Amino acid sequence: MPDPSAPENRADALPKSWNPAEVEADVYRTWDEAGYFRADAQSNKPSYSIVLPPPNVTGSLHMGHALDHTLMDILCRRRRMQGYEVLWLPGMDHAGIATQSIVARQLVEEGTSKEEIGRDAFIERVWDWKAESGGQITGQMRRIGDSVDWSRERFTMDEGLSRAVTTVFKMLYEAGLIYRAERLVNWSPVLRTAISDIEVKYSDVEGELVSLRYGSLDDNEPHVIVATTRVETMLGDTAVAVHPDDERYRALVGTTLEHPFTGRQIPIVADDYVDPEFGTGAVKITPAHDPNDFELGLRHNLPMPTIMDESGRIAGTGTPFDGLDRFEARVKVREALAEQGRIVKEIRPYLHSVGHSDRSGEPIEPRLSLQWWVKVDTLAKFAGDAVRTGLTTIHPASQEPRWFGWVDDMHDWCISRQLWWGHRIPIWYGPNGEIACVGPDETAPEGWEQDPDVLDTWFSSGLWPLSTMGWPDQTPDLEKFYSTDVLVTGYDILFFWVARMMMFGTFIAAESTERALPAVPFRDVFLHGLVRDENGAKMSKSKGNGIDPLDWVDRFGADALRFTLARGAQPGGDISVGEDAAQAARNFATKLFNATRFALLNGATVGELPPRNALTDADRWILDRLESVRAEVDNAWDAYEFGKASEALFHYTWDEVCDWYLEFAKVQVREGNAASTGIVLGTVLDALLRLLHPTMPFVTEVLWRTLTGGESVMIASWPTDSGIAADPTAATHVADAQRVITEIRRFRSDQGLGPGQKVPAVLEGIDEAGLTEQLPVIRSLARLEEAGDGFTESASLEVPLTAGTITVRIDTSGTVDTAAEIARYSKDLAAAEKELAGTTAKLGNEQFMTKAPQPVRDKIAARQAAAQQDVERLEKRLRQLRAGGQADATVGSA
């Protein structure tokens, strides 16, 4: 009866080819059901923890998410294999504006509205929507292999997390760090709420520049001319500002001019903010609708009338324009000014940057509004000092200046939103104007009313590392896994999310009295770049260049998606990806599968290695290279250099194991070294599959289980230092053998010999070069036969090596069709010349060189260099063929 554990029978357990779609779902289900993802807070193992940046409950996985998740999964899988108790904690954000907008639209489609059904009923509808439709992203996370602890999944509106939000609000309020004030905010007239800076996207808009005249229409009487792209805001003007040193207006400073529509007296004020060289050197000041004007208004104690209501309609001005939409008013005000003769220049087109709501698309309106704010001075100092003192390290260090630039110059944070879905602000108002902040374990006095606003989503997500682990309660998770080891995120939200978590985490630690908390929420911050298309352009729906990561999973497999992203990921750098890269990663997974299957069919097994002196040079070389690559991969991942680690594993697998050692191994088995070669093969593949597992979990799981018979590579130990010194002599012999084989193959190709065509040859100098052991391999891989009777040398090649020169004499008589070879080489030369011309033209294109990212330019330059070499080689061979002479070559001397 056949032994099922024998390598050849274990190979039969594998499918004939690698088809990810047939196995990935089952493999993931096996991991999940086995409990491999679950963390044990009672474990004695050292802890390692990461919290997943919470995706929006309304969202789906995009390439930025896929990159984030891949890198975090790599870190977590590796640490588990290294013996850590790993918690990777997942969850979702309630996404206040986005979620409210979806449910509000549904109500409109049903013929009603949120206002009609009321706040309580609306919030109930949102929870219903969340239960039925929210969170599709969790299914997508499973598709790409996220090894998160699903038993600890959190949602920012969960009861426990809501309790944390209320707790920290009260802490900040009682510390005097939360206050209510009328300040300028980004206002969305469509959503009718303040929105955060990250929800404002700027784009150039073709507007019009209107120059209008304040004061007398007589040039000899006091007047000033100002220009604006938003002429409707002049209804809220409360001053005209000029530079203090501008002689043109010195006499007017301190005087007033009458507003043409409201009758208000508009003072002329002097302020260094004004650029006297720009335009007329005079600017209109609308403090309630422009950030710079607001600051100037504070300095000069100016009135700040708000001239628009929540929907962007003119209101409260006492002019005929009240009730008009702001864009309608822009036209009507301009026309009215023209009727008065106050338009002093021809209105001209003007391209300027305008902020738009990322959610609703309309231009945002800077608007004076009564809101709740966090005073950030103290908190920002905590966040900055955490990095300055080394409590938290930012990777790469080149991002530190951006961090300090933000936290050292941070403005107070508007935390209130005029929404119904979200954490309601825990402030209550009494009938006589009393105000109280009510904590999570407190009850508001009877008859008091709660503030109607909710908190900015970033407020609750700023507590994510703490609230997800049970704070403010004393929980085992908090004790074991906080602070977290690393935060993995894109540099584009360094300020909006990372800074807020740091501010809250350091503040809470400083305020903790019952039990000391670690000073920071995470010890490392790894910042990666954006995922761009293969031309380096930012992905966007409008450009049509976005890539759905799940489409790649369907077509290429999850391992290919992950390896593509990891291979391109370097600290702080953007990543350019395209289908060619995904297909290459798919080919890599297939190569690994085929190599393992082939190795099993040829005796690969896992066991104790024979003594070093019983191994061949090739055996010792591939084992030494494995140790070198292991060390390189460990160092790279410790430094968050995912691309470097991926490149090392790729080239070791493809270039050394597959292209060389497997070929050496075939000959060694044929020469009688089957047992030791099989163990070396098994040892190398066992370690290699474990090293590749964090990046390519699915294919490595299938192959490792088949190779070793083990339960799962997920719970296998991480490869460690072998402690065996490398053998430089073996490495030299193998490198020399590779050089000989490579040069013979190239020479054969130049001679027009087919890849599988064997020819008789004499090799001189083998013993002197120390390659006696490698001679069978050289003959096999170079397709050379022993020279027999009738051998006639027709071509020769000299290959200089470390310890001498090998001369290869080949008999090609009767094997080459000269006319056919001339035709073939001529065709190849034409293709090489075309490639050379195309790459040269591209590198000479100034626009391309300016806009293309460096990796793309490097790739074109490498293609140009390769094409140049091909042209020179092909021209040389054509000259030889046409001359009809014998070819001789010395490597490196041609």
Side-chain angles (χ1 to χ4, degrees):
M1 187 172 182
D3 180 1
S5 66
E8 62 273 14
N9 294 320
R10 282 188 275 117
D12 290 340
L14 292 173
K16 300 300 182 185
S17 60
W18 176 240
N19 188 341
E22 293 179 353
V23 299
E24 287 180 347
D26 288 339
V27 168
Y28 190 89
R29 190 179 306 110
T30 300
W31 289 332
D32 193 13
E33 291 174 354
Y36 296 152
F37 304 158
R38 293 178 201 154
D40 180 5
Q42 308 302 325
S43 168
N44 292 324
K45 296 178 183 178
S47 67
Y48 185 84
S49 58
I50 296 178
V51 291
L52 178 78
N56 286 350
V57 67
T58 60
S60 60
L61 205 67
H62 58 61
M63 271 297 183
H65 288 129
L67 173 63
D68 257 353
H69 292 215
T70 294
L71 302 186
M72 283 183 278
D73 199 34
I74 287 173
L75 295 172
C76 289
R77 287 177 182 270
R78 174 173 174 251
R79 289 302 189 199
R80 284 193 195 96
M81 296 173 75
Q82 288 179 321
Y84 287 79
E85 191 65 37
V86 174
L87 170 61
W88 184 14
L89 198 152
M92 287 183 293
D93 189 277
H94 63 279
I97 291 175
T99 306
Q100 176 159 318
S101 297
I102 289 173
V103 179
R105 281 197 301 269
Q106 290 178 347
L107 291 173
V108 171
E109 291 168 1
E110 296 170 10
T112 183
S113 68
K114 65 182 181 67
E115 289 79 13
E116 189 170 332
I117 68 172
R119 183 169 192 147
D120 291 343
F122 177 76
I123 291 174
E124 186 176 340
R125 277 292 300 265
V126 178
W127 278 109
D128 290 342
W129 174 87
K130 191 262 181 185
E132 295 173 8
S133 307
Q136 67 167 326
I137 204 167
T138 59
Q140 296 172 331
M141 288 166 60
R142 288 175 165 86
R143 293 284 309 280
I144 67 170
D146 283 7
S147 61
V148 296
D149 186 344
W150 293 110
S151 70
R152 285 175 165 86
E153 185 179 359
R154 300 290 185 261
F155 181 55
T156 48
M157 290 288 286
D158 285 347
E159 182 179 350
L161 276 70
S162 298
R163 185 166 177 266
V165 168
T166 305
T167 300
V168 79
F169 186 100
K170 186 174 179 68
M171 289 172 65
L172 291 163
Y173 183 81
E174 292 182 344
L177 298 179
I178 285 183
Y179 64 95
R180 197 183 193 203
E182 203 172 32
R183 303 277 293 275
L184 214 64
V185 298
N186 300 311
W187 186 267
S188 167
V190 171
L191 300 171
R192 301 191 183 188
T193 180
I195 60 177
S196 70
D197 290 341
I198 200 173
E199 290 158 331
V200 178
K201 303 300 180 185
Y202 287 87
S203 59
D204 287 341
V205 171
E206 189 73 50
E208 57 183 27
L209 189 65
V210 177
S211 295
L212 63 100
R213 182 178 188 131
Y214 269 116
S216 175
L217 298 177
D218 184 344
D219 289 344
N220 297 316
E221 297 295 325
H223 68 280
V224 291
I225 296 171
V226 298
T228 179
T229 57
R230 303 174 66 222
V231 70
E232 73 282 3
T233 63
M234 63 88 60
L235 297 171
D237 285 356
T238 57
V240 171
V242 298
H243 193 275
D245 299 331
D246 195 330
E247 293 291 342
R248 294 171 295 178
Y249 302 110
R250 187 178 296 275
L252 288 178
V253 173
T255 66
T256 62
L257 301 173
E258 186 177 348
H259 192 286
F261 298 126
T262 68
R264 281 196 305 270
Q265 291 299 308
I266 305 297
I268 311 296
V269 300
D271 197 283
D272 290 335
Y273 159 70
V274 181
D275 179 2
E277 303 298 323
F278 184 77
T280 63
V283 293
K284 58 186 286 299
I285 304 299
T286 319
H289 293 277
D290 181 273
N292 294 317
D293 293 5
F294 175 75
E295 296 297 331
L296 189 146
L298 290 176
R299 289 195 294 272
H300 295 272
N301 197 29
L302 297 175
M304 299 186 181
T306 300
I307 62 163
M308 296 181 198
D309 64 14
E310 291 90 345
S311 63
R313 293 187 173 275
I314 305 298
T317 67
T319 69
F321 308 110
D322 283 353
L324 294 178
D325 174 85
R326 54 184 170 153
F327 301 113
E328 295 174 316
R330 183 170 298 172
V331 176
K332 297 297 184 183
V333 168
R334 186 191 64 208
E335 290 175 347
L337 288 169
E339 288 177 5
Q340 291 185 16
R342 295 189 177 277
I343 304 296
V344 298
K345 287 185 180 179
E346 182 180 349
I347 297 168
R348 58 186 178 88
Y350 188 77
L351 189 68
H352 61 125
S353 181
V354 175
H356 291 73
S357 168
D358 190 40
R359 298 295 178 189
S360 47
E362 88 282 15
I364 62 104
E365 184 63 43
R367 183 172 184 267
L368 194 63
S369 179
L370 185 61
Q371 302 283 350
W372 285 97
W373 303 80
V374 171
K375 187 176 182 180
V376 300
D377 292 357
T378 302
L379 303 178
K381 186 177 186 305
F382 283 162
D385 289 347
V387 175
R388 287 189 180 93
T389 60
L391 291 171
T392 296
T393 303
I394 293 178
H395 302 267
S398 59
Q399 292 289 336
E400 281 190 7
R402 295 183 68 183
W403 172 259
F404 294 126
W406 279 325
V407 298
D408 292 346
D409 189 31
M410 195 181 295
H411 302 293
D412 285 1
W413 170 21
C414 176
I415 57 171
S416 48
R417 299 290 181 266
Q418 289 62 58
L419 303 171
W420 288 353
W421 173 244
H423 294 104
R424 195 162 176 182
I425 290 176
I427 293 290
W428 293 73
Y429 304 103
N432 299 314
E434 305 96 328
I435 298 178
C437 180
V438 178
D441 300 321
E442 301 169 345
T443 302
E446 188 174 347
W448 287 38
E449 291 188 3
Q450 188 174 2
D451 193 291
D453 290 350
V454 302
L455 287 163
D456 176 16
T457 298
W458 295 102
F459 191 96
S460 55
S461 61
L463 284 170
W464 191 246
L466 280 160
S467 62
T468 53
M469 294 189 194
W471 184 87
D473 295 330
Q474 312 298 328
T475 67
D477 279 2
L478 207 60
E479 182 72 33
K480 179 73 173 178
F481 297 111
Y482 187 85
S483 51
T484 62
D485 286 84
V486 60
L487 176 75
V488 177
T489 191
Y491 62 69
D492 54 328
I493 60 170
L494 176 61
F495 170 69
F496 294 103
W497 187 46
V498 182
R500 282 151 171 73
M501 286 190 289
M502 189 73 88
M503 290 193 301
F504 282 173
T506 52
F507 169 75
I508 290 170
E511 293 289 311
S512 296
T513 55
E514 295 183 7
R515 184 180 67 86
L517 281 172
V520 292
F522 24 76
R523 289 184 280 274
D524 283 352
V525 176
F526 170 67
L527 299 169
H528 60 72
L530 303 176
V531 183
R532 298 179 178 271
D533 71 13
E534 57 191 338
N535 297 314
K538 187 175 180 179
M539 293 184 183
S540 70
K541 292 179 181 178
S542 60
K543 292 179 181 177
N545 64 341
I547 300 172
D548 181 353
L550 274 298
D551 175 57
W552 275 15
V553 171
D554 290 337
R555 296 166 57 199
F556 306 117
D559 290 325
L561 167 72
R562 294 165 61 106
F563 190 78
T564 300
L565 294 171
R567 193 177 185 185
Q570 295 294 355
D574 289 348
I575 303 170
S576 295
V577 297
E579 287 205 2
D580 287 350
Q583 184 61 60
R586 171 71 164 88
N587 293 344
F588 180 49
T590 300
K591 185 83 167 180
L592 182 66
F593 178 86
N594 291 339
T596 306
R597 191 171 188 278
F598 171 83
L600 285 168
L601 289 170
N602 285 273
T605 187
V606 177
E608 185 177 349
L609 282 169
R612 291 278 284 186
N613 59 10
L615 300 177
T616 67
D617 284 341
D619 293 338
R620 291 193 292 274
W621 163 74
I622 200 65
L623 290 169
D624 291 345
R625 285 294 302 133
L626 173 64
E627 171 56 28
S628 176
V629 169
R630 180 209 60 76
E632 183 179 356
V633 166
D634 273 337
N635 290 335
W637 272 338
D638 284 344
Y640 304 106
E641 294 176 336
F642 297 90
K644 186 175 181 180
S646 300
E647 284 295 318
L649 288 169
F650 174 86
H651 288 294
Y652 177 69
T653 303
W654 195 298
D655 301 344
E656 297 180 293
V657 175
C658 295
D659 283 358
W660 286 109
Y661 184 70
L662 287 181
E663 298 300 320
F664 276 63
K666 282 192 291 186
V667 179
Q668 291 181 181
V669 169
R670 196 164 59 238
E671 293 288 315
N673 291 325
S676 62
T677 300
I679 292 178
V680 172
L681 267 174
T683 300
V684 168
L685 287 171
D686 170 29
L688 182 55
L689 292 170
R690 284 183 280 153
L691 289 169
L692 280 166
H693 174 73
T695 311
M696 307 179 76
F698 293 102
V699 67
T700 54
E701 174 76 353
V702 171
L703 295 176
W704 189 86
R705 286 195 316 223
T706 306
L707 173 70
T708 67
E711 180 182 338
S712 171
V713 69
M714 263 201 75
I715 56 174
S717 61
W718 185 252
T720 55
D721 188 346
S722 67
I724 299 174
D727 185 341
T729 301
T732 298
H733 288 167
V734 171
D736 282 348
Q738 291 172 336
R739 182 171 175 82
V740 172
I741 294 165
T742 300
E743 295 305 332
I744 294 174
R745 285 172 170 173
R746 183 179 294 121
F747 193 62
R748 286 171 53 99
S749 177
D750 288 344
Q751 295 299 307
L753 297 172
Q757 187 177 8
K758 291 190 174 183
V759 292
V762 175
L763 287 85
E764 300 173 352
I766 286 286
D767 294 341
E768 293 80 356
L771 297 185
T772 305
E773 181 184 294
Q774 278 72 44
L775 181 57
V777 173
I778 292 172
R779 284 196 173 277
S780 177
L781 300 189
R783 299 292 189 269
L784 301 180
E785 295 178 334
E786 294 279 356
D789 295 339
F791 175 81
T792 303
E793 177 187 342
S794 59
S796 65
L797 169 70
E798 289 187 353
V799 186
L801 300 175
T802 306
T805 298
I806 287 181
T807 301
V808 185
R809 306 188 187 282
I810 301 177
D811 180 0
T812 61
S813 56
T815 62
V816 178
D817 182 338
T818 302
E821 287 302 295
I822 289 175
R824 181 170 70 86
Y825 278 104
S826 297
K827 182 179 179 182
D828 291 346
L829 177 61
E833 289 173 336
K834 182 178 180 181
E835 170 74 353
L836 179 60
T839 53
T840 300
K842 210 158 199 175
L843 293 173
N845 185 316
E846 184 176 347
Q847 186 176 11
F848 170 79
M849 294 300 287
T850 300
K851 294 184 176 181
Q854 188 63 46
V856 175
R857 300 199 301 270
D858 291 344
K859 185 177 180 181
I860 299 298
R863 284 173 50 194
Q864 182 196 43
Q868 181 65 49
Q869 291 178 354
D870 286 344
V871 167
E872 293 172 359
R873 177 177 59 83
L874 293 167
E875 287 178 340
K876 178 181 177 181
R877 182 56 183 152
L878 279 169
R879 288 194 300 271
Q880 292 172 346
L881 287 169
R882 286 168 179 148
Q886 178 173 307
D888 293 280
T890 298
V891 175
S893 64

